C-alpha cells in the first residue's frame, strides 16, 4: 500500500466522512445492553452559516461524542435547526422586497409559503457545513423546531400552561423592536454605551412667570408627557402643589404631581412623566391614574397623538425638536453624557419601551425547580463561576413575554369571537364549541385566531424532550416512548454563557414541568471567540475568518486542534490563525512519524537492550498519560486534555520513543528492526491514534487503515479506548533522569563545540547501581559507555542530577577557569535557593498552618539543596 510523502487532509476528509455515513457509524438506537451517552445540539438558526462560535461549540461536542463511542457508550448526538422567528422573517421580508413585494400587500398564507420555500432552499446549509468539520451527528434524527410534530408539542404546552393558570394576556410595557415590529424579551436586548445629549427644557408654570426645568435624552417624547413629578419634601417645589406645567411647543397643560420615587438630589429634581414610553413612568402613571398617550407608532415614527411632527422618524424628530426648542428659548443648556441604550439583538434597532397587549408566562413558581436543580448540584454548570449568575437571574426572574408580532413561528392557539370572549385550544372547531358555551349566537366564520406567534425560545425550551418524543406533552412521562425513556436525561450540553437564561434555564424548567427530571447532567459553557486583540468577532469588524476557508487551508483536523488548543471552559478564546497552522503541523508530525515506522525494514535481528528499555518505559508512560487525559476529560478541561495528547505524541512518542527504538545507520544504510520492537511500536501507534481520534478524526482514520488491511467495521472511530495498567513509578522517574542526562550531555556538546557524532564517555560517582535506562542513554547521548567510580576525578566537566554526580572527561578541551566560574555560579544559586527554603521552614505561621505533606516537601528541598552544594564544592576542589 503506497503511502504519500505528505498528508493530504482533503483526500482523507472526502474519503472517510462518506464512509462513516455509509456504514451508519453515527447512528444510534436504544440498546438496553449499553449505556447511552447523549448530546442534543444547540440548534443553530435556520438562517445561519457556520461561524467561529459554531466551530468551537461543535468541535467540543464532537470530541465528547467520539470519545464516548470509543468508551463503549451508545453515543447519540441529535442535530437540528431552530426556526428563528425574527431572523427568518427579516430574511424573507428582504427577499420579497427585492422582488418588489411588501409583506403588508400579501396574505399570511402567501407569506408563509415564501418562508417555507426559503427554508427548504437555504435552511440546511449550516448542517451541511458541520459535516466538513467532521461532526458525527446521527443525521437521521435531524429535527427542525417548526416541523409539524414539534410545533404540535409547542401548542400543547401553551394550552396546558394556560389551563394551569401560568399563562395570561394583558397590556404591559414591553421592549419593542420598531424594525422587526415585534416585542422582544429583556434577554434579547443588548445594551451599548453611547454618547447622548441631555437636554434641559424649561416647562412654564400655568398662570405664573415661573418655570421648572426637566432634563431628558428623549425630547421627541415630550408631546406624550402627562405629568411633571417632584419629591414631596423638595422645598424648591412645595409651593407648586395643585399647579400645572405647560408642555412647550404644544402648550398642553399637565399636572405637577408629588412622589417619593423622585431623587431630589439628582439633576433638577424634576421628572417629565411619559407613561407610554418608560417603564418607571408607566408605574407612576398607574399610581397617580394618569392618562397614557402613545407618541410613537409601531415603526418608530411620531404618531398623530403627538399633534406635531406627525410621521417623522423618531431620531429625525429628536434633532428637529431640539432646534425648535432652542429657537423658542425653551432650552437652558445641553450636556453630552454617556448612557446605556438598548438595541435589538436580532435587528440592531434601538429598542422602544412600548405598551402592548401581549401574552406572558408567569415565572415565579414554575422556575423554582430549575433554580433548585442547579443550586443543589443536580445540574452541574462548568465552570462553576456561572452558578452565581444563574442564581441571580432565577431569583430575580420576570414574567416572560412569549408573544411576537410575526407570521413565521407557532401561531398562538387563542381564539376570539369578536365580542370580548377568548378561549385557548388548538383548533378552530374546538374553539367554536367552547365559545358557544358563553355566546350561543357565535358563528364559526367569526371565530378568529390570535395573529401573533410564540417566542422562538418557547419552542426550543422543549428541544431535549421533543427531539425524542414530540407527543410527550400529551402523553406524560409515564407513557413516553422508548427513545425518550432511554436517552433522557441527556449527558452533556455544550453552549454559550449568553444563553444560560434564554435557553438553558428554560429547558430545565420545561424538563422539570413535564418529566419531573432534569434535561441534562452537565452544562459546559464555552467562551466567546475573539480575535487576538480581544475584540468579539463580527462581520462589521471584518475580523471573523470563514471557517470553511480555514478548513480548506489547514484541513479539518488542523482547525479542530487550533480551535481547542486554548479554549478553557467559560473563558474567551483569543483566536489566532497560527493555532490552525500549529494544528496542521501536528497532523504533519503524526503523518511523518507513521511514514518513519512503516519505512522500517523488519528483519531477523535481535532486539537491542535500548529498544527493550524504551518499550518498557513507553508502556508505563502511555498508561500514565491516559490516566491524566481521562482526568482532564472528567473535569471538562478540554484544552488540557488536548495538550496532554499533543505532548504525549510529539514529545514522548516522536522525540523520545521513536528515537530510542529506531535502528542505527551503518555505512549510510538503516539496519533492520526486529519484529518484536516493530509490533510493539505499531501497537503503541494504534493506541495513540485512538487517543487522538476525538480531536483529529480524519488523519487517525486514514493512518488506521494504512497500517494494515482491515474489515469494513474495523475502524478507528469504533476502536476501544485504551486501558490503563498498574504504573511502575520507578521506571517513569528513572527515565526522567535519563532524559535530563541526555539533554545535559547534548548541551555540553553544543557549549564545547563537540560534534554530535563524536562518542563521549560518562562517569558517575558514588552509588554504582545501574540505571534502568543506561542503554537508551548511551544511544541517544552517543556515549561509548557509562562507568561508575568512587575515585576523585580531575579536569572533567561535571554536573549533578538528583544529587548524583556525573563527569565527562574533557581534559584536552576543558577550560579550568571557565569550569570554576560555572561551578561557583551554580553554588551561589543553590545557596540562595537553600536560604529561601530555610526562611520558610523557620516561619512559625507556615509550620503551624501548612499541611504535613507540604512541610515534608520543603524539608526534602532543603536536604537536596544541602547535598547539591556539597557535591559542587567537592567538584570545585577537584579542579587543578
Amino acid at each position: 500500500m503506497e503511502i504519500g510523502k505528505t498528508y493530504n487532509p482533503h483526500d482523507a476528509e472526502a474519503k472517510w466522512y462518506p464512509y462513516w455515513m455509509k456504514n451508519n457509524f453515527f447512528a444510534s438506537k436504544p440498546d438496553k445492553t449499553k449505556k447511552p451517552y447523549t448530546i442534543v445540539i444547540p440548534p443553530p438558526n435556520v438562517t445561519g452559516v457556520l461561524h467561529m462560535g459554531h466551530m468551537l461549540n461543535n468541535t467540543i461536542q464532537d470530541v465528547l461524542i467520539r470519545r464516548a463511542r470509543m468508551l463503549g457508550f451508545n453515543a447519540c448526538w441529535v442535530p437540528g435547526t431552530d426556526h428563528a422567528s425574527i431572523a427568518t422573517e427579516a430574511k424573507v421580508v428582504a427577499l420579497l422586497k427585492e422582488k418588489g413585494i411588501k409583506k403588508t400587500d400579501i396574505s399570511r398564507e402567501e407569506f408563509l409559503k415564501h418562508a417555507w420555500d426559503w427554508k427548504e432552499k437555504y435552511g440546511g446549509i449550516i448542517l451541511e457545513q458541520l459535516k466538513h468539520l467532521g461532526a458525527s451527528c446521527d443525521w437521521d434524527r435531524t429535527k427542525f423546531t417548526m416541523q409539524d410534530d414539534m410545533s404540535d408539542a409547542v401548542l400543547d404546552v401553551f394550552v396546558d400552561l394556560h389551563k394551569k393558570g401560568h399563562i395570561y394576556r394583558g397590556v404591559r410595557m414591553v421592549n419593542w423592536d420598531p424594525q422587526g415590529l415585534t416585542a422582544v424579551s429583556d434577554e434579547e436586548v443588548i445594551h451599548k454605551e453611547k454618547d447622548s445629549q441631555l437636554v434641559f427644557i424649561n416647562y412654564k408654570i400655568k398662570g405664573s412667570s415661573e418655570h421648572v426645568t426637566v432634563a431628558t435624552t428623549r425630547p421627541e417624547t415630550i408631546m406624550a408627557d402627562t405629568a411633571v413629578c417632584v419629591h414631596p419634601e423638595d422645598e424648591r417645589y412645595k409651593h407648586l402643589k395643585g399647579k400645572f406645567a405647560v408642555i412647550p411647543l404644544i402648550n398642553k397643560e399637565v399636572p405637577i404631581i408629588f412622589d417619593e420615587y423622585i431623587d431630589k438630589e439628582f439633576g433638577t429634581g424634576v421628572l417629565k412623566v411619559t407613561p407610554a414610553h418608560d417603564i418607571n413612568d408607566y408605574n407612576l402613571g398607574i399610581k397617580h391614574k394618569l392618562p397614557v398617550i402613545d407618541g410613537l407608532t409601531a415603526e418608530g415614527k411620531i404618531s398623530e397623538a403627538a399633534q406635531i411632527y406627525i410621521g417623522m422618524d423618531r431620531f429625525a424628530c429628536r434633532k428637529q425638536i431640539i432646534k425648535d426648542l432652542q429657537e423658542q428659548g425653551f432650552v437652558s443648556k445641553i450636556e453630552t453624557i454617556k448612557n446605556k441604550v438598548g438595541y435589538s439583538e436580532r435587528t440592531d434597532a434601538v429598542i422602544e419601551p412600548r405598551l402592548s397587549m401581549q401574552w406572558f408566562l408567569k415565572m415565579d413558581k414554575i422556575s423554582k425547580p430549575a433554580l433548585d436543580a442547579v443550586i443543589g448540584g443536580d445540574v452541574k454548570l462548568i465552570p462553576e463561576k456561572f452558578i452565581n449568575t444563574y442564581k441571580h437571574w432565577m431569583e430575580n426572574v420576570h414574567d416572560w413575554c412569549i408573544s411576537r408580532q410575526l407570521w413565521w413561528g407557532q401561531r398562538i392557539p387563542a381564539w376570539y369571537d369578536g365580542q370580548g370572549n377568548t378561549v385557548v385550544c388548538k383548533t378552530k372547531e374546538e374553539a367554536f364549541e367552547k365559545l358557544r358555551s358563553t355566546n350561543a349566537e357565535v358563528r364559526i366564520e367569526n371565530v378568529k385566531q390570535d395573529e401573533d406567534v410564540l417566542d422562538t425560545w418557547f419552542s426550543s425550551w422543549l428541544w431535549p424532550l421533543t427531539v425524542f418524543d414530540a407527543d410527550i406533552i400529551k402523553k406524560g412521562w409515564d407513557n413516553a416512548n422508548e427513545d425518550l425513556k432511554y436517552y433522557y436525561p441527556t449527558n452533556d450540553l455544550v453552549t454559550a454563557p449568553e444563553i444560560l437564561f434564554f435557553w438553558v434555564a428554560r429547558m430545565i424548567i420545561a424538563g422539570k414541568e413535564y418529566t419531573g427530571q432534569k434535561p441534562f447532567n452537565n452544562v459546559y459553557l464555552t467562551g466567546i471567540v475573539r480575535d487576538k486583540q480581544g475584540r468579539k468577532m463580527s462581520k462589521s469588524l471584518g475580523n471573523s475568518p470563514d471557517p470553511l476557508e480555514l478548513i480548506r487551508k489547514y484541513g479539518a483536523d488542523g482547525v479542530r486542534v487550533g480551535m481547542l488548543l486554548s479554549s478553557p471552559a467559560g473563558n474567551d478564546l483569543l483566536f489566532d490563525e497560527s493555532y490552525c497552522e500549529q494544528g496542521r503541523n501536528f497532523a504533519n508530525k503524526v503523518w511523518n512519524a507513521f511514514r518513519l515506522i512503516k519505512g522500517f525494514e523488519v528483519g531477523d535481528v535481535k532486539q537491542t537492550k535500548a529498544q527493550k528499555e524504551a518499550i518498557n518505559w513507553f508502556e508505563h508512560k502511555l498508561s500514565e498519560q491516559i490516566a491524566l487525559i481521562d482526568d482532564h476529560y472528567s473535569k471538562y478541561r478540554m484544552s488540557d486534555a488536548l495538550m496532554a495528547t499533543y505532548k504525549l505524541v510529539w514529545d514522548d512518542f516522536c522525540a523520545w520513543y521513536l528515537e530510542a527504538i529506531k535502528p542505527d545507520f551503518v555505512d549510510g544504510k538503516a539496519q533492520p528492526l526486529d519484529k518484536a520492537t516493530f509490533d510493539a511500536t505499531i501497537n503503541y501507534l494504534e493506541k495513540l491514534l485512538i487517543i487522538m481520534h476525538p480531536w483529529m478524526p480524519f488523519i487517525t482514520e486514514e493512518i488506521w487503515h494504512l497500517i494494515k488491511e482491515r474489515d469494513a467495521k474495523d475502524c478507528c472511530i469504533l476502536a476501544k479506548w485504551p486501558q490503563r495498567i498498574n504504573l511502575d513509578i520507578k521506571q517513569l522517574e528513572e527515565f526522567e533522569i535519563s532524559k535530563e542526562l541526555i539533554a545535559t550531555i547534548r548541551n555540553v556538546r553544543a557549549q564545547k563545540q563537540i560534534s554530535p557524532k563524536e562518542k563521549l564517555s560518562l562517569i558517575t560517582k558514588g552509588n554504582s547501581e545501574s540505571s534502568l535506562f543506561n542503554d537508551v542513554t548511551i544511544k541517544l547521548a552517543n556515549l561509548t559507555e557509562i562507568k561508575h567510580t568512587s575515585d576523585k576525578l580531575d579536569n572533567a566537566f561535571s554536573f549533578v542530577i538528583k544529587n548524583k554526580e556525573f563527569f565527562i572527561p574533557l581534559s584536552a578541551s576543558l577550560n579550568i577557569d571557565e569550569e570554576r566560574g560555572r561551578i561557583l555560579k551554580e553554588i551561589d544559586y543553590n545557596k540562595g535557593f537553600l536560604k529561601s527554603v530555610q526562611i520558610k521552614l523557620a516561619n512559625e505561621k507556615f509550620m503551624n498552618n501548612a499541611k504535613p505533606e507540604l512541610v515534608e516537601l520543603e524539608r526534602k528541598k532543603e536536604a537536596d539543596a544541602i547535598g547539591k552544594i556539597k557535591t559542587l564544592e567537592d567538584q570545585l576542589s577537584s579542579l587543578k
Side-chain angles (χ1 to χ4, degrees):
M1 197 179 294
E2 190 177 340
I3 301 168
K5 186 176 180 182
T6 58
Y7 172 58
N8 187 322
H10 310 300
D11 287 352
E13 290 157 22
K15 181 197 304 182
W16 293 114
Y17 200 87
Y19 186 88
W20 295 327
M21 292 277 286
K22 180 184 173 184
N23 285 278
N24 292 318
F25 291 158
F26 305 159
S28 176
K29 291 181 180 177
D31 180 351
K32 290 180 180 177
T33 67
K34 296 174 79 174
K35 272 189 170 184
Y37 175 85
T38 318
I39 294 178
V40 292
I41 199 171
N45 286 354
V46 73
T47 58
V49 291
L50 202 62
H51 59 60
M52 298 303 285
H54 293 133
M55 293 282 281
L56 174 63
N57 184 293
N58 287 283
T59 298
I60 292 169
Q61 290 176 79
D62 196 43
V63 168
L64 292 172
I65 211 81
R66 285 179 181 271
R67 180 168 175 269
R69 207 176 275 125
M70 293 172 138
L71 287 168
F73 288 96
N74 184 0
C76 179
W77 184 12
V78 181
T81 50
D82 189 283
H83 66 272
S85 292
I86 299 174
T88 304
E89 185 142 331
K91 288 270 187 188
V92 178
V93 167
L95 184 70
L96 292 174
K97 189 176 181 181
E98 288 175 12
K99 297 178 179 179
I101 303 170
K102 288 183 178 179
K103 178 188 170 186
T104 51
D105 292 343
I106 59 175
S107 69
R108 187 183 196 116
E109 289 68 30
E110 288 174 303
F111 178 84
L112 289 175
K113 185 181 183 305
H114 284 290
W116 278 107
D117 288 345
W118 184 92
K119 184 264 173 190
E120 292 306 316
K121 188 173 181 180
Y122 299 106
I125 289 175
I126 192 165
L127 297 184
E128 288 303 311
Q129 291 175 328
L130 285 176
K131 293 177 182 178
H132 290 282
L133 184 64
S136 58
C137 302
D138 184 348
W139 296 108
D140 292 336
R141 291 181 174 274
T142 303
K143 298 290 183 181
F144 174 53
T145 54
M146 244 177 81
Q147 65 190 58
D148 289 346
D149 58 344
M150 303 279 277
S151 286
D152 205 41
V154 174
L155 302 184
D156 286 333
V157 168
F158 186 95
V159 172
D160 177 67
L161 293 179
H162 183 268
K163 193 182 292 182
K164 290 173 177 173
H166 294 312
I167 286 177
Y168 65 94
R169 187 172 185 245
V171 175
R172 297 287 187 278
M173 182 72 72
V174 297
N175 302 302
W176 184 259
D177 179 344
Q179 187 172 320
L181 295 178
T182 182
V184 295
S185 66
D186 290 345
E187 295 77 30
E188 292 167 297
V189 178
I190 307 300
H191 288 91
K192 303 177 187 178
E193 192 174 78
K194 294 286 181 180
D195 286 332
S196 298
Q197 286 188 306
L198 184 64
V199 186
F200 290 77
I201 306 170
N202 297 331
Y203 285 39
K204 290 180 179 177
I205 305 301
K206 181 186 174 184
S208 165
S209 59
E210 285 185 89
H211 67 262
V212 290
T213 304
V214 300
T216 180
T217 58
R218 306 206 54 203
E220 71 276 12
T221 65
I222 66 171
M223 296 83 77
D225 290 354
T226 56
V228 168
C229 189
V230 293
H231 195 282
E233 294 177 8
D234 194 327
E235 295 294 337
R236 294 171 294 178
Y237 307 118
K238 275 187 175 181
H239 67 289
L240 297 178
K241 197 162 188 177
K243 304 277 187 182
F244 288 81
V246 181
I247 299 173
L249 302 182
I250 60 172
N251 295 319
K252 177 180 154 190
E253 297 172 8
V254 295
I256 297 172
I257 62 173
F258 291 76
D259 198 286
E260 291 180 351
Y261 165 75
I262 302 299
D263 180 357
K264 59 185 179 181
E265 304 301 326
F266 181 77
T268 63
V270 182
L271 176 75
K272 64 188 278 301
V273 184
T274 322
H277 299 292
D278 182 274
I279 184 61
N280 297 312
D281 291 11
Y282 175 65
N283 292 331
L284 270 175
I286 292 173
K287 184 176 178 182
H288 293 273
K289 298 182 173 58
L290 298 175
V292 175
I293 298 171
D294 196 341
L296 293 171
T297 67
E299 294 81 7
K301 297 181 186 298
I302 305 303
S303 72
E304 290 186 4
Q307 303 179 43
I308 55 176
Y309 308 111
I310 297 166
M312 187 179 284
D313 176 78
R314 54 187 168 153
F315 298 118
C317 178
R318 183 178 298 175
K319 289 181 181 177
Q320 186 62 47
I321 199 171
I322 291 173
K323 183 181 175 186
D324 293 345
L325 287 167
Q326 285 177 313
E327 286 178 354
Q328 296 188 39
F330 289 109
V331 177
S332 61
K333 64 177 178 176
I334 297 176
E335 294 178 356
T336 299
I337 63 165
K338 288 192 180 296
N339 68 334
K340 296 279 189 180
V341 179
Y343 287 78
S344 169
E345 182 188 43
R346 295 296 180 200
T347 66
D348 203 38
V350 174
I351 290 294
E352 282 292 341
R354 180 177 174 83
L355 285 171
S356 180
M357 178 68 79
Q358 303 286 346
W359 288 92
F360 295 87
L361 172 62
K362 293 178 186 175
M363 295 291 282
D364 52 352
K365 292 178 183 174
I366 200 172
S367 64
K368 180 73 167 56
L371 173 60
D372 295 341
V374 170
I375 300 304
D378 194 28
V379 175
K380 291 182 170 56
L381 302 186
I382 301 149
E384 292 182 348
K385 69 179 183 180
F386 287 107
I387 293 174
N388 284 337
T389 304
Y390 182 91
K391 182 172 182 284
H392 175 76
W393 278 342
M394 295 298 280
E395 287 179 342
N396 295 279
V397 67
H398 299 292
D399 287 357
W400 175 10
C401 177
I402 57 175
S403 47
R404 297 291 182 269
Q405 289 63 56
L406 302 165
W407 283 350
W408 176 250
Q410 286 93 7
R411 193 170 177 181
I412 290 174
W415 307 82
Y416 311 101
D417 65 0
Q419 296 179 37
N421 298 307
T422 306
V423 293
V424 170
C425 53
K426 287 172 68 175
T427 67
K428 187 172 187 175
E429 291 71 24
E430 190 182 352
F432 176 59
E433 292 301 322
K434 286 190 172 189
L435 287 166
R436 281 176 64 186
S437 66
T438 55
N439 179 7
E441 296 179 6
V442 69
R443 296 167 62 89
I444 194 164
E445 58 266 28
N446 294 331
V447 175
K448 304 295 182 188
Q449 188 175 357
D450 197 299
E451 290 292 322
D452 292 350
V453 299
L454 287 158
D455 180 13
T456 301
W457 298 106
F458 197 82
S459 62
S460 56
W461 75 327
L462 305 177
W463 185 250
L465 291 165
T466 52
V467 294
F468 296 115
D469 187 353
D471 295 327
I472 179 63
I473 311 303
K474 292 190 198 85
K475 299 185 303 186
W477 176 252
D478 291 342
N479 298 307
N481 68 11
E482 184 186 14
D483 266 20
L484 189 62
K485 284 288 182 82
Y486 181 73
Y487 292 113
Y488 190 93
T490 65
N491 294 75
D492 295 319
L493 178 75
V494 181
T495 191
E498 48 271 39
I499 55 174
L500 181 57
F501 182 72
F502 264 152
W503 189 46
V504 177
R506 289 168 177 168
M507 283 190 287
I508 302 173
I509 292 170
K512 289 288 187 177
E513 180 72 16
Y514 289 106
T515 70
Q517 299 187 56
K518 58 188 175 183
F520 26 71
N521 298 326
N522 306 294
V523 181
Y524 179 98
L525 296 157
T526 65
I528 295 170
V529 183
R530 299 183 181 275
D531 65 17
K532 54 188 176 183
Q533 296 176 45
R535 300 175 304 174
K536 189 174 180 179
M537 287 188 169
S538 68
K539 286 181 184 176
S540 59
L541 287 174
N543 64 345
S544 182
D546 176 358
L548 295 181
E549 187 56 41
L550 289 176
I551 289 173
R552 281 189 284 272
K553 192 172 179 181
Y554 300 105
D557 291 337
V559 175
R560 288 165 68 107
V561 169
M563 288 295 296
L564 292 174
L565 273 173
S566 59
S567 57
N571 291 325
D572 292 349
L573 163 64
L574 297 182
F575 178 78
D576 189 327
E577 199 169 313
S578 63
Y579 290 140
C580 295
E581 187 177 358
Q582 190 177 349
R584 181 186 62 189
N585 293 346
F586 185 39
N588 290 337
K589 181 77 171 179
V590 172
W591 185 258
N592 290 334
F594 165 63
R595 289 184 68 245
L596 173 69
I597 295 165
K598 288 295 279 185
F600 290 150
E601 178 192 343
V602 180
D604 187 15
V605 294
K606 190 178 178 183
Q607 187 181 58
T608 67
K609 287 182 179 179
Q611 288 164 341
K612 190 172 183 179
E613 289 173 2
I615 289 168
N616 289 339
W617 162 71
F618 195 75
E619 182 180 22
H620 290 275
K621 186 67 181 177
L622 179 61
S623 190
E624 176 200 51
Q625 292 305 299
I626 290 170
L628 177 64
I629 291 165
D630 285 344
D631 183 60
H632 287 322
Y633 272 118
S634 72
K635 293 167 181 169
Y636 296 86
R637 295 199 294 245
M638 305 300 286
S639 288
D640 293 340
L642 172 58
M643 189 51 70
T645 303
Y646 184 97
K647 288 179 178 177
L648 171 63
V649 175
W650 192 296
D651 296 341
D652 298 320
F653 185 69
C654 295
W656 291 103
Y657 175 80
L658 288 181
E659 289 300 312
I661 62 97
K662 76 179 182 184
D664 292 330
F665 272 75
V666 176
D667 297 328
K669 184 182 177 184
Q671 298 303 292
L673 184 69
D674 69 283
K675 188 173 185 306
T677 301
F678 181 78
D679 289 347
T681 304
I682 290 293
N683 176 49
Y684 291 149
L685 175 62
E686 287 183 339
K687 288 181 177 179
L688 291 173
L689 291 174
I690 294 168
I691 295 167
M692 285 187 284
H693 180 82
W695 312 100
M696 309 174 79
F698 293 108
I699 191 172
T700 51
E701 195 70 82
E702 178 75 2
I703 294 174
W704 185 265
H705 288 270
L706 287 172
I707 288 173
K708 63 183 180 184
E709 291 290 335
R710 298 180 187 270
D711 295 336
K713 298 291 174 95
D714 182 2
C715 291
C716 193
I717 189 175
L718 300 180
K720 289 186 178 178
W721 191 257
Q723 298 295 305
R724 294 175 247 161
I725 62 168
N726 292 326
L727 293 182
D728 183 337
I729 301 300
K730 186 181 179 186
Q731 279 216 40
L732 294 171
E733 289 175 347
E734 286 264 357
F735 197 84
E736 289 306 308
I737 294 172
S738 292
K739 281 163 68 175
E740 191 175 345
L741 186 53
I742 293 161
T744 304
I745 294 167
R746 287 172 176 172
N747 285 337
V748 170
R749 288 181 184 276
Q751 289 171 14
K752 307 299 178 186
Q753 297 184 337
I754 301 168
S755 169
K757 295 180 180 179
E758 181 182 334
K759 289 189 178 289
L760 299 174
S761 176
L762 182 69
I763 300 170
T764 67
K765 189 178 176 186
N767 190 343
S768 63
E769 182 185 343
S770 178
S771 166
L772 292 170
F773 301 104
N774 271 1
D775 289 277
V776 168
T777 305
I778 288 169
K779 178 176 181 178
L780 296 184
N782 195 17
L783 303 174
T784 54
E785 60 182 349
I786 298 176
K787 295 194 301 185
H788 298 274
T789 182
S790 56
D791 298 333
K792 190 174 182 182
L793 292 169
D794 296 332
N795 299 336
F797 185 89
S798 59
F799 53 93
V800 179
I801 297 175
K802 301 289 183 187
N803 287 334
K804 196 169 186 178
E805 282 185 272
F806 294 91
F807 299 87
I808 301 174
L810 295 171
S811 54
S813 56
L814 185 67
N815 183 312
I816 301 296
D817 290 337
E818 278 185 13
E819 184 66 3
R820 182 178 285 109
R822 183 187 68 79
I823 294 173
L824 283 169
K825 191 181 287 185
E826 205 169 337
I827 289 171
D828 285 345
Y829 169 80
N830 280 278
K831 282 182 175 178
F833 176 76
L834 176 62
K835 185 178 180 181
S836 69
V837 172
Q838 288 175 334
I839 287 171
K840 187 180 274 190
L841 289 171
N843 186 317
E844 192 175 330
K845 189 175 180 182
F846 170 77
M847 295 299 286
N848 290 336
N849 297 321
K851 292 180 180 178
E853 55 266 33
L854 282 179
V855 174
E856 185 57 34
L857 180 64
E858 293 303 315
R859 292 198 190 283
K860 186 175 184 307
K861 287 180 185 177
E862 180 186 39
D864 288 348
I866 290 169
K868 196 163 188 179
I869 291 166
K870 184 179 185 312
T871 300
L872 288 166
E873 286 173 342
D874 288 345
Q875 288 177 11
L876 192 64
S877 66
S878 71
L879 290 177
K880 294 180 180 177

